[in-house]
Amino acid sequence: MTPRAPRRLNSNARIVPTIGAAMKRMTTSRRRHDAGSITLELTILAPAVLALLGLVIVGGRIEIAGGAVEQASAAAAREAARARSREAARQAATQAAMDNLSDQDLHCTDLVVVVDSAGFSVPVGSSAYVSARVSCTVELGDISVPGMPGSRTLTSETQSTLDRYRSR
């Protein structure tokens, strides 16, 4: 014989089951009806959660690559400003950008470094600058998220001031 739930008398002298016994009956009947529903919910939600995780990874990779391209353009402009001629500025900027991206382990499928060295034609004693624009195409194909492109081109441009009193 199963033990009965404790009962108490109310003011009308009726026997009333306790709240705990009523809750126990509700949860056991609910468990019978919910059998297997967690498996179904997980089956439906798992692809959406995985797709969201993939988007977060792709977004993080693009942000990190964007920061690396910005640093590469700053390094390229700085090295171009230190050069003594237009041609030396182009070579130094390209090498600095390639070294900087390589140091940060960013592999560009297409790297373009454009140096605006018009400041070298400004007479000594006048303010002048050089600018470097770095464009890098980053592959995203190793992360397969439906609807995402296979690559993304990131571009950054930085200016650096030429020494006003140095010969050009």
Side-chain angles (χ1 to χ4, degrees):
M1 187 164 176
T2 61
R4 296 184 72 179
R7 299 179 182 264
R8 62 181 171 85
L9 294 177
N10 67 3
S11 61
N12 295 334
R14 291 186 317 173
I15 298 178
V16 179
T18 60
I19 294 175
M23 290 300 291
K24 185 175 181 182
R25 277 195 308 268
M26 284 176 45
T27 57
T28 53
S29 67
R30 186 181 303 159
R31 277 191 221 135
R32 283 186 214 126
H33 297 309
D34 286 347
S37 67
I38 191 71
T39 306
L40 181 62
E41 290 172 7
L42 185 62
T43 304
I44 292 171
L45 291 178
V49 170
L50 290 175
L52 182 63
L53 180 64
L55 288 174
V56 168
I57 291 171
V58 167
R61 181 178 283 185
I62 290 172
E63 279 300 310
I64 290 170
V69 170
E70 286 179 15
Q71 288 181 357
S73 72
R78 193 170 39 250
E79 289 302 317
R82 290 181 184 162
R84 297 283 181 187
S85 68
R86 286 180 175 209
E87 188 56 37
R90 285 189 187 100
Q91 290 174 355
T94 302
Q95 189 61 45
M98 289 171 45
D99 290 346
N100 196 291
L101 291 172
S102 157
D103 289 345
Q104 295 191 37
D105 203 27
L106 182 64
H107 306 287
C108 301
T109 56
D110 185 29
L111 176 64
V112 178
V113 180
V114 178
V115 179
D116 178 11
S117 57
F120 282 99
S121 61
V122 174
V124 175
S126 300
S127 297
Y129 65 90
V130 293
S131 64
R133 171 179 277 166
V134 176
S135 295
C136 173
T137 302
V138 180
E139 281 295 321
L140 302 173
D142 56 339
I143 302 174
S144 58
V145 176
M148 287 300 295
S151 63
R152 178 106 186 227
T153 301
L154 305 168
T155 303
S156 179
E157 184 172 359
T158 306
Q159 292 182 350
S160 186
T161 305
L162 290 171
D163 186 1
R164 181 180 288 203
Y165 300 108
R166 188 182 71 187
S167 64
R168 297 181 187 142

